[in-house]
Amino acid sequence: MAVSKTDRRNKIKKRIRKDITGTQSRPRLAVFRSNKEIYAQIVDDVEGKTLVAASSRDKDVTSAEGSKIEKAALVGKALAEKAKQAGIETISFDRGGYLYHGRVKSLADGAREGGLKF
């Protein structure tokens, strides 16, 4: 029987999370991508807390015109600004089992433009 898309992604996600963890000094940037929206949050796995979050459903991103890839870049920039205000500069990038292209890559590039270091 064939493996479904979500099962395949969850398998890849477990393999990635085996190596990447977020600490206080270097938290993890986790990405979730649905068909319409994209969500990103910076997480401290030691304490189990979300430090900063941004999504394409935020007011400043929703009002912007453009494709989903362009909105993902705006989400990355917004997340970087919030992270700078929280005192976060370096992060570990967790692509969440998604391929590193399209909206995921655009979000990462936007976060880099905003000043985060991976």
Side-chain angles (χ1 to χ4, degrees), residues 3-76:
V3 179
S4 71
K5 268 187 180 181
T6 54
D7 289 338
R8 179 181 170 277
R9 188 180 78 80
N10 285 331
K11 187 177 178 183
I12 295 169
K13 186 177 177 179
K14 285 181 185 176
R15 192 175 350 153
I16 292 168
R17 289 282 286 122
K18 189 170 45 175
D19 297 326
I20 297 174
T21 57
T23 61
Q24 186 69 31
S25 62
R26 190 178 174 112
R28 174 175 60 95
L29 190 160
V31 176
F32 176 74
R33 174 176 67 83
S34 70
N35 286 338
K36 290 185 177 182
E37 311 290 344
I38 190 159
Y39 306 88
Q41 56 186 355
I42 297 179
V43 181
D44 178 5
D45 291 319
V46 176
E47 292 189 24
K49 291 187 178 180
T50 299
L51 306 173
V52 177
S55 74
S56 57
R57 297 187 62 144
D58 294 345
K59 288 184 181 182
D60 55 337
V61 178
T62 305
S63 62
E65 294 289 322
S67 66
K68 291 188 279 187
I69 291 176
E70 292 167 349
K71 286 187 179 184
L74 292 175
V75 171

